[in-house]
Amino acid sequence: MTGKLPYAEVIGDPIAHSKSPVIHGFWLKKLKIKADYKMFHVKPDQLGDYIDSRRVDPDWRGCNVTIPHKLAIMDHVSDPGDIRASIGAMNTIARSENGELFGTNTDAGGFFAPIADVPLSGQEVIVIGAGGAAQAVLFALSRINVGSVTIINRNVLKASALLARFGLKGQALEHGSALPPARLLVNASALGMKGQDELIINLDSQPDDAIVYDLVYAPIKTKLLVAAKARNMETIDGLSMLIGQAAVAFEIFFGQAPPLEHDEELRKLLLA
């Protein structure tokens, strides 16, 4: 024992926008767990050194991983669940009982939770992005028998490869292309996030019953969601996935399930 509190943290570049410390801190307080949760700015060229430093820190319980490290982190930790071959991106790193650092992914479950009751079998879906978050989304979609999937991305070849990887039928289009009508449209890119380029999407081709789901949570009311609400479409904001994936990670880090009965209070805190 070092006399310090055990802790977990979130890493990324940028990182100041992260709401993970608020979420985990809220749950730690509710459960009266004597531990801490921090944020740590890690640039791409610092990722290896960061992992090496935490590997020898006995108080470190793990970290959540955000943009742009979800792919690169796989080269620095073990992969007992074969995440590299399945989802292809990690968002949670923790320490096993034997002290080894391993990676997993809680994004797929976090993404799916808000739409679990939506009948999407055979339905058309649009996914914007082809990075780590998009791969978790595509993994989840591949498990629920959706119809055609259109991926919108700057790199069409990369997007096409992801369709093949996850066994999804569909097409890859460049930004600015005309969109096919879909039951679900998901922004799984960083576009529209504070400090990033704007996401320009025309929803005119989408049916009135389309669900628009934006994984961006800074800001919560993205321009995409505002445009969708102007059409009276159903919308899902980035807090839904953020809380869902954090709940799984929290139990990994601290050994207890979070008190989800307080979700309404937590959401109000996050929106304050």
Side-chain angles (χ1 to χ4, degrees):
M1 296 296 291
T2 65
K4 296 192 301 181
L5 289 177
Y7 72 100
E9 56 195 343
V10 58
I11 64 169
D13 179 31
I15 196 60
H17 68 280
S18 177
K19 295 184 181 294
S20 292
V22 177
I23 296 171
H24 288 265
F26 176 85
W27 289 333
L28 287 170
K29 185 176 181 180
K30 286 291 184 183
L31 294 174
K32 296 181 172 59
I33 296 174
K34 293 183 178 180
D36 198 3
Y37 187 97
K38 311 174 183 180
M39 66 170 66
F40 198 81
H41 187 190
V42 178
K43 296 181 179 180
D45 62 355
Q46 300 170 330
L47 187 58
D49 289 340
Y50 166 81
I51 289 295
D52 288 342
S53 69
R54 296 311 191 260
R55 199 184 305 274
V56 296
D57 184 347
D59 299 305
W60 185 82
R61 295 291 185 85
C63 68
N64 291 115
V65 182
T66 188
I67 293 171
H69 303 314
K70 293 185 179 185
L71 305 183
I73 196 73
M74 293 188 291
D75 294 331
H76 299 281
V77 296
S78 68
D79 185 14
D82 206 13
I83 297 299
R84 184 185 290 273
S86 58
I87 297 177
M90 292 176 176
N91 79 320
T92 302
I93 310 300
R95 193 189 307 277
S96 66
E97 291 184 359
N98 64 8
E100 184 179 48
L101 301 193
F102 70 93
T104 187
N105 192 302
T106 66
D107 275 340
F111 159 74
F112 183 65
I115 57 171
D117 295 330
V118 179
L120 290 172
S121 179
Q123 297 293 311
E124 309 295 301
V125 179
I126 296 170
V127 176
I128 303 164
Q135 290 178 207
V137 168
L138 293 169
F139 175 82
L141 293 175
S142 73
R143 295 300 190 267
I144 58 173
N145 196 34
V146 296
S148 178
V149 175
T150 298
I151 302 179
I152 309 297
N153 195 54
R154 293 189 181 99
N155 188 330
V156 174
L157 290 178
K158 179 181 180 181
S160 296
L162 288 179
L163 288 172
R165 173 179 182 166
F166 291 106
L168 295 164
K169 61 182 180 180
Q171 61 182 336
L173 300 175
E174 294 181 348
H175 284 279
S177 301
L179 300 181
R183 179 72 172 93
L184 173 68
L185 185 151
V186 183
N187 177 31
S189 76
L191 295 175
M193 187 171 77
K194 184 178 180 181
Q196 302 293 320
D197 291 340
E198 184 178 344
L199 174 61
I200 301 173
I201 291 291
N202 189 329
L203 296 176
D204 288 350
S205 61
Q206 301 309 300
D208 291 337
D209 66 348
I211 299 171
V212 178
Y213 191 161
D214 198 336
L215 306 193
V216 169
Y217 58 85
I220 296 298
K221 295 181 180 180
T222 63
K223 290 185 177 180
L224 175 63
L225 294 183
V226 170
K229 287 184 177 180
R231 286 269 314 273
N232 291 318
M233 293 175 170
E234 182 178 349
T235 61
I236 303 172
D237 64 40
L239 286 186
S240 300
M241 175 173 171
L242 182 67
I243 294 171
Q245 63 82 25
V248 181
F250 182 89
E251 189 164 0
I252 293 172
F253 297 149
F254 302 111
Q256 294 187 48
L260 298 180
E261 65 272 18
H262 298 293
D263 268 9
E264 186 174 339
E265 182 183 350
L266 174 58
R267 179 173 273 268
K268 288 180 180 177
L269 180 64
L270 291 167
L271 292 173

